[in-house]
Amino acid sequence: MQLTGDNLTCQRGGRTVFSGLNFSLSGGEAMMVTGRNGAGKSSLLRMIAGLICISAGRLDLSGGEPDATLAGQAHYLGHQDALKPSLSVSENLRFWADFLGNSDATLEPALAAVDLAPLADLPAAYLSAGQRRRLSIARLIAAKRPLWLLDEPTSALDVQSQDRLAGLMRDHLAGGGMIMAATHGPIGLERARELKVSPE
Amino acid sequence: MSAFTSLLLRDMRIAVRVGGGALMGALFFLIVVTMMPFAIGPDLGLLARIGPAILWLGALLASLLALDRLFANDHDDGSLDLLMMGSMPLELAVAAKAIAHWLTTCLPLVVITPVLGLMLNVEMHAMGWVSLTLLAGTPALTFIGLIGAALSVTLRRGGLLLAVLVLPLTVPVLIFGVAAANAAIVGPAPFGPPFTILCALSLASFVLGPVAAAAALRHGLE
Amino acid sequence: MPIIDLANPTRFLSIVNRVLPWLAAATVLVFAFGLARIMNAPDDYQQGATVKIMYLHVPAAWLSMMCWGVMTVAALGTLVWRHPLSDVAGKAAAPIGAAFTFICLITGSLWGRPTWGTYWVWDARLTSMLVLFLLYLGVLALYWTAEDPGRGSRAAAILALVGAINIPIIKFSVEYWNTLHQPASLFRRGGSAIDPSILIPLLVMAGGFTLLFFTLHFAAMRNEILRRRVRSMRLIQAQELAEART
């Protein structure tokens, strides 16, 4: 399985954010997208997730499921948690597991992986920022998708949760998954390659 | 559970939980209909004559204004991004949201219509027909309004913009809805033709609405 | 007993638990007595037995207005005195008031059928009861929409104070408009115009309704306090779990 970006260009509001970006990522590999503020790290991830139009260039995922689109095989963890406060922790997770992936997945392992199992019946409105973040990470476990697109995944997480997340990412890579993470600092993956995004 | 039903049930659940707007549409409907006699006077004969028109106008406004937050909430908390990455086409996801909205917001309108008709002195035997036209016509309002909801969320403007965009598109629904209701009550024109056209409008918007709304959401990305 | 004692929710709960059975029993007794008196009350020479709807309709109308009065006091308590129980009192009163208003509208409508020949007439008093009902529904919608109980009750308190202006309008609308409806004849200048055979059961029923209101109100306040405790315990649970990990 391989994700390749060929001469990618992103234009937003008439401004060129980045251009001529080339990269390739194979199964089991992680890539850290770095660059200063406004360089287009988030835009690159959103582009791969199919949330921003590609201005020029090509994106290609080979070796995945033939019928599914690139976005249909990717998880996107953005700045927002995509949780509904009036639904319980397990209802929120159940919905995203059903909607994004296979319907028969059990939630317990995913909730246990982010240490939220005792709160399963609590409305999401009661969660702290870090707990909300962990719940949205749980959806990466509950629905299986090969490509993880993580935008500042460690924000709002304490040290212990960051370690847990690193462990989950290592498990994902060991299972042949791919990770692209936009980040300013280390996220606990030793063998990650670095992709520097810079304007022009 | 399939992605479609899970989205449908999730939206319905949110609507009936604390903070959801399930009965707000019906409440707005009740208030609009109550305001009418204040404006035109308590003459029961007059109210009975224009009752179906008042009910249709009230239902039109209630069902459209309630659509305002349909995509806006999902946009604000980041859910909309993920809805676009689902394994099923965005058109189906949008249709699931619209059906959930119709069940939680428009169906209560249809249910309370007989009570409001009573207050407008619409005759008992006629109430069933007016409710039937609303049952057949409100899906068209929801699915046409869906387009406006998608357009207004990508432009990040809510409220009145939605009504401005959508109200002109609902003119045919209003015409045939009121025509069918009046035909059922006073005649002399037969009930069948306007009612069939009303059903046709609903079915057509059932196809057109999700396609146009999904296109609006996709193009709103950039 | 000073009011400070009632400010403590735990003290309030224990008092309510002690008082509530007696209050409920008194309500049942007064209603039984009132209904027996209504059975013996004379029929109207024009309206026949339908006039007895009045014994439900009129007390419900009084109580729906009194309930808004309770909400107004509670709103002042929330906004001005910041009494800890007052927003609980306001929130508990709103659905009860809406229910009494609804009873008043339904009975008025049923009474109207034989009297006017139609279920609904846009007569001044019924219409202003309808507006009151809409105001109640607005307050309920406000509580329903607010996810944070504190913010919701402050907003509802402001709405209750604004809505209190509506109650004089209902009262005086009787004198402004001359309508199909019975004019308010109970407290007309120069004494009561109602025969004692009707007035006494009416007052008994009004007393029964008032007792019913307080029974329901105390029970609803107790439920609301318990509901808030459940909420804060669940919040603590979420917090403790977060702390236990570190």
Side-chain angles (χ1 to χ4, degrees):
Chain A
M1 186 179 281
Q2 190 165 37
L3 175 71
T4 46
D6 184 18
N7 208 18
L8 284 174
T9 300
C10 174
Q11 286 180 324
R12 303 202 71 185
R15 183 178 73 95
T16 304
V17 182
F18 57 78
S19 63
L21 194 70
N22 295 299
F23 66 87
S24 102
L25 186 66
S26 311
E29 282 186 331
M31 187 175 273
M32 315 256 283
V33 184
T34 58
R36 58 176 179 75
N37 287 339
K41 301 188 294 293
S42 297
S43 297
L44 176 62
L45 293 185
R46 288 179 69 81
M47 186 180 271
I48 299 170
L51 301 172
I52 295 182
C53 306
I54 300 171
S55 310
R58 282 175 52 79
L59 258 178
D60 199 37
L61 182 70
S62 61
E65 281 179 51
D67 305 340
T69 59
L70 172 55
Q73 299 180 63
H75 267 305
Y76 174 69
L77 185 72
H79 294 283
Q80 292 157 310
D81 295 317
L83 301 175
K84 294 296 175 188
S86 58
L87 299 184
S88 75
V89 165
S90 61
E91 281 171 333
N92 268 298
L93 188 58
R94 176 86 264 162
F95 166 67
W96 286 123
D98 286 347
F99 188 82
L100 294 171
N102 46 340
S103 52
D104 46 351
T106 51
L107 301 182
E108 286 76 21
L111 282 175
V114 294
D115 211 3
L116 283 178
L119 299 184
D121 296 327
L122 209 65
Y126 295 0
L127 300 186
S128 69
Q131 287 169 333
R132 292 170 61 85
R133 192 72 182 162
R134 272 149 53 200
L135 178 52
S136 68
I137 289 170
R139 106 182 153 241
L140 309 185
I141 315 291
K144 292 270 171 282
R145 289 188 169 198
L147 175 60
W148 287 8
L149 303 165
L150 313 176
D151 199 349
E152 302 287 352
T154 52
S155 66
L157 293 183
D158 54 24
V159 178
Q160 193 186 351
S161 303
Q162 292 186 13
D163 290 346
R164 257 178 194 279
L165 174 63
L168 294 175
M169 289 196 290
R170 275 193 290 271
D171 291 347
H172 182 61
L173 293 175
M178 297 180 284
I179 294 176
M180 280 186 92
T183 174
H184 285 293
I187 55 170
L189 291 177
E190 300 80 15
R191 295 185 298 105
R193 288 191 287 138
E194 188 176 335
L195 176 67
K196 209 165 174 60
V197 187
S198 57
E200 301 305 306
Chain B
M1 204 185 301
S2 78
F4 187 86
T5 45
S6 69
L7 180 56
L8 184 75
L9 290 180
R10 169 232 197 205
D11 266 30
M12 290 178 70
R13 215 173 261 153
I14 293 170
V16 298
R17 292 270 169 91
V18 172
L23 294 176
M24 219 59 93
L27 186 52
F28 183 83
F29 188 29
L30 172 64
I31 289 174
V32 167
V33 170
T34 308
M35 298 309 269
M36 289 292 179
F38 290 129
I40 54 187
D43 176 359
L44 286 180
L46 179 63
L47 286 176
R49 213 160 48 250
I50 60 175
I54 293 176
L55 290 174
W56 256 95
L57 264 181
L60 174 65
L61 293 177
S63 61
L64 284 190
L65 292 182
L67 272 169
D68 186 28
R69 301 301 295 169
L70 185 64
F71 293 116
N73 286 336
D74 281 334
H75 177 267
D76 293 349
D77 67 12
S79 300
L80 192 57
D81 287 343
L82 301 184
L83 291 179
M84 302 181 74
M85 297 174 66
S87 39
M88 70 175 170
L90 183 59
E91 284 80 1
L92 280 180
V94 164
K97 285 187 75 67
I99 293 171
H101 180 267
W102 185 80
L103 287 173
T104 51
T105 305
C106 292
L107 203 53
L109 299 187
V110 178
V111 171
I112 67 163
T113 297
V115 179
L116 301 185
L118 206 66
M119 289 164 56
L120 295 174
N121 200 31
V122 178
E123 284 181 44
M124 285 298 215
H125 75 271
M127 273 331 302
W129 295 106
V130 177
S131 303
L132 187 63
T133 60
L134 281 174
L135 186 67
T138 44
L141 300 179
T142 301
F143 279 88
I144 294 172
L146 188 65
I147 306 170
L151 284 171
S152 61
V153 77
T154 55
L155 296 173
R156 289 174 186 79
R157 295 278 185 283
L160 284 178
L161 177 66
L162 174 72
V164 168
L165 295 176
V166 170
L167 278 175
L169 297 173
T170 59
V171 166
V173 184
L174 187 61
I175 288 175
F176 288 103
V178 177
N182 277 331
I185 298 169
V186 287
F191 175 71
F195 186 73
T196 333
I197 294 175
L198 189 64
C199 294
L201 287 171
S202 273
L203 290 174
S205 64
F206 192 80
V207 178
L208 182 66
V211 171
L217 289 176
R218 282 207 195 91
H219 285 272
L221 295 178
E222 184 31 312
Chain C
M1 184 176 52
I3 194 133
I4 295 300
D5 278 5
L6 286 171
N8 179 343
T10 313
R11 180 76 52 88
F12 178 81
L13 278 184
S14 74
I15 292 171
V16 162
N17 283 333
R18 233 177 305 145
V19 167
L20 210 52
W22 296 101
L23 210 52
T27 309
V28 171
L29 279 178
V30 172
F31 265 116
F33 180 65
L35 288 175
R37 291 300 295 259
I38 291 170
M39 290 299 171
N40 299 327
D43 289 350
D44 191 79
Y45 72 98
Q46 277 178 322
Q47 299 183 15
T50 50
V51 78
K52 288 180 176 169
I53 297 176
M54 177 183 75
Y55 298 113
L56 284 179
H57 176 73
V58 174
W62 287 344
L63 259 293
S64 65
M65 285 183 257
M66 192 195 89
C67 188
W68 198 285
V70 170
M71 278 168 56
T72 309
V73 175
L76 286 173
T78 306
L79 296 173
V80 182
W81 306 309
R82 304 195 176 273
H83 193 277
L85 276 176
S86 53
D87 63 332
V88 175
K91 187 173 183 180
I96 303 172
F100 278 126
T101 319
F102 189 66
I103 292 172
C104 175
L105 287 172
I106 292 291
T107 51
S109 166
L110 292 176
W111 196 4
R113 179 67 184 173
T115 315
W116 302 320
T118 170
Y119 281 111
W120 186 263
V121 167
W122 290 87
D123 118 282
R125 292 175 73 190
L126 263 186
T127 306
S128 41
M129 284 312 283
L130 178 61
V131 175
L132 182 64
F133 183 59
L134 294 178
L135 281 170
Y136 271 120
L137 289 183
V139 172
L140 290 179
L142 198 50
Y143 278 122
W144 177 247
T145 319
E147 274 159 20
D148 172 35
R151 206 180 310 165
S153 51
R154 275 190 297 280
I158 292 168
L159 189 59
L161 287 180
V162 173
I165 296 165
N166 193 49
I167 290 174
I169 294 175
I170 292 171
K171 271 286 174 209
F172 291 114
S173 61
V174 183
E175 291 172 30
Y176 292 156
W177 290 293
N178 190 16
T179 63
L180 289 164
H181 211 31
Q182 299 274 332
S185 45
L186 183 58
F187 298 117
R188 203 155 51 184
R189 253 163 283 155
S192 171
I194 297 183
D195 188 81
S197 64
I198 294 173
L199 181 63
I200 290 171
L202 188 60
L203 289 178
V204 172
M205 285 304 280
F209 266 75
T210 312
L211 284 171
L212 177 66
F213 169 77
F214 281 113
T215 310
L216 293 175
H217 191 222
F218 283 144
M221 281 178 75
R222 183 184 62 186
N223 292 350
E224 179 63 21
I225 290 171
L226 294 178
R227 207 176 291 126
R228 287 183 185 193
R229 287 201 176 159
V230 169
R231 184 186 146 85
S232 54
M233 281 159 88
R234 299 182 92 178
L235 276 171
I236 290 168
Q237 184 199 359
Q239 211 169 8
E240 273 176 355
L241 206 86
E243 281 164 6
R245 296 173 60 251
T246 50

